[in-house]
């Protein structure tokens, strides 16, 4: 069951996300001492990351993960890691201490395996994330789980390297076993151009990878203005 929250403009959307984020991480910290948050890539979350960057949060008790990464150098304009450092981590010299990069190996499959092992060491085995932020693409992909790609059918590993022919790229991504084990998953969506795909997703069209996310609590934060 997905709880859908709609906001007329960016200000209301950001206020709600910031309020709810603070509550979520504080609850995780109260329960387990640390909050483990997986971030979304793409462009939609950038204003939210910039807002969080300015917030007084329990920064030393939050560990940051990335739900997916394009297999490019971390300083490449396409890199989600680069985007996160430029927004959420901007001006925070200790951000890298608690941000976990995918880039640990020259081979994407080995890097994906290493990321899962790191999650198991830092969070537990199997790892249960406190919050996962996701976006939705125009084809219904989420993270780098693109329709028709192998990672969508992955039922064992929590992280994999995924060949995405429609993007002519290799991606690293979390999989449904990890997403559906998370305590909360929030989709961040903006713009009327995503209305049709959201409608299909909420109707349960499981041809869309985003419709296959079914965590303990799943929310959709829609910004229409
Ligand atoms: C990525 C994201 C991807 C993104 C969607 C939506 O690496 O690009 O993980 O899943 O969230 O493509 O992207 P926008 O927010 O830019 O529309």
């Amino acid at each position: 069951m997905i709880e859908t929250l709609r906001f007329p403009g960016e200000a209301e959307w950001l206020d709600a996300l910031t309020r709810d984020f603070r509550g979520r991480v504080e609850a995780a910290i109260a329960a387990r001492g640390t909050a483990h948050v997986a971030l979304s890539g793409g462009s939609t979350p950038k204003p939210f990351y910039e807002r969080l960057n300015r917030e007084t949060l329990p920064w030393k008790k939050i560990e940051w993960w990335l739900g997916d990464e394009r297999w490019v150098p971390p300083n490449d304009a396409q890199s989600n890691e680069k985007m996160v450092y430029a927004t959420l981590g901007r001006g925070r010299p200790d951000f890298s201490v608690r941000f976990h990069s995918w880039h640990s190996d020259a081979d994407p499959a080995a890097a994906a395996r290493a990321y899962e092992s790191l999650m198991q060491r830092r969070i537990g085995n199997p790892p249960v994330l406190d919050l996962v932020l996701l976006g939705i693409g125009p084809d219904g992909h989420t993270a780098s789980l693109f329709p028709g790609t192998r990672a969508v059918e992955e039922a064992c590993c929590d992280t994999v390297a995924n060949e995405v022919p429609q993007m002519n790229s290799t991606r690293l991504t979390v999989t449904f076993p990890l997403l559906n084990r998370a305590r909360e998953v929030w989709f961040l969506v903006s713009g009327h151009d995503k209305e049709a795909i959201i409608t299909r997703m909420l109707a349960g069209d499981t041809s869309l990878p985003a419709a296959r996310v079914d965590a303990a609590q799943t929310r959709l934060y829609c910004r229409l203005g």
Side-chain angles (χ1 to χ4, degrees):
M1 178 68 186
I2 298 180
E3 180 186 3
T4 302
L5 306 166
R6 293 179 183 277
F7 303 90
E10 182 174 90
E12 298 89 346
W13 185 72
L14 289 176
D15 287 347
L17 276 167
T18 304
R19 178 199 64 224
D20 294 353
F21 181 87
R22 182 184 303 281
R24 181 86 282 276
V25 298
E26 288 177 351
I29 291 165
R32 288 171 295 280
T34 303
H36 288 278
V37 178
L39 300 166
S40 169
S43 58
T44 301
K46 289 167 71 171
F48 177 45
Y49 298 162
E50 289 162 347
R51 169 69 176 271
L52 284 184
N53 172 269
R54 301 190 296 270
E55 290 290 315
T56 303
L57 295 170
W59 288 92
K60 293 188 183 302
K61 295 184 177 180
I62 303 172
E63 293 196 23
W64 308 94
W65 305 84
L66 254 184
D68 72 314
E69 180 58 291
R70 297 85 180 270
W71 190 246
V72 295
N75 62 357
D76 186 288
Q78 287 298 313
S79 166
N80 285 332
E81 178 171 327
K82 180 183 176 76
M83 180 274 288
V84 165
Y85 269 98
T87 53
L88 184 62
R90 185 182 179 87
R92 291 188 172 273
D94 64 346
F95 182 73
S96 61
V97 173
R98 280 172 289 278
F99 171 81
H100 302 296
S101 170
W102 284 90
H103 295 279
S104 65
D105 195 290
D107 171 70
R113 286 195 301 274
Y115 209 63
E116 179 167 350
S117 298
L118 181 61
M119 283 186 167
Q120 290 170 353
R121 290 197 305 275
R122 301 290 309 165
I123 307 172
N125 189 2
V128 179
L129 290 161
D130 294 297
L131 176 61
V132 181
L133 304 179
L134 292 173
I136 303 175
D139 59 355
H141 80 262
T142 192
S144 282
L145 301 169
F146 285 80
T149 63
R150 192 186 61 78
V152 169
E153 302 311 323
E154 176 59 47
C156 299
C157 297
D158 284 344
T159 57
V160 294
N162 192 29
E163 294 305 322
V164 184
Q166 53 266 55
M167 303 293 286
N168 189 30
S169 74
T170 299
R171 297 283 189 101
L172 299 176
T173 186
V174 296
T175 60
F176 288 121
L178 183 67
L179 291 176
N180 291 340
R181 191 184 314 128
R183 292 185 175 88
E184 290 197 24
V185 172
W186 300 352
F187 287 100
L188 276 57
V189 185
S190 68
H192 290 287
D193 60 332
K194 298 261 175 98
E195 275 295 341
I197 208 76
I198 290 171
T199 301
R200 286 177 56 195
M201 173 189 164
L202 294 175
D205 179 353
T206 52
S207 70
L208 307 176
R212 292 176 57 177
V213 173
D214 184 21
Q217 181 161 3
T218 307
R219 288 184 184 165
L220 196 55
Y221 287 80
C222 296
R223 181 190 116 198
L224 301 177

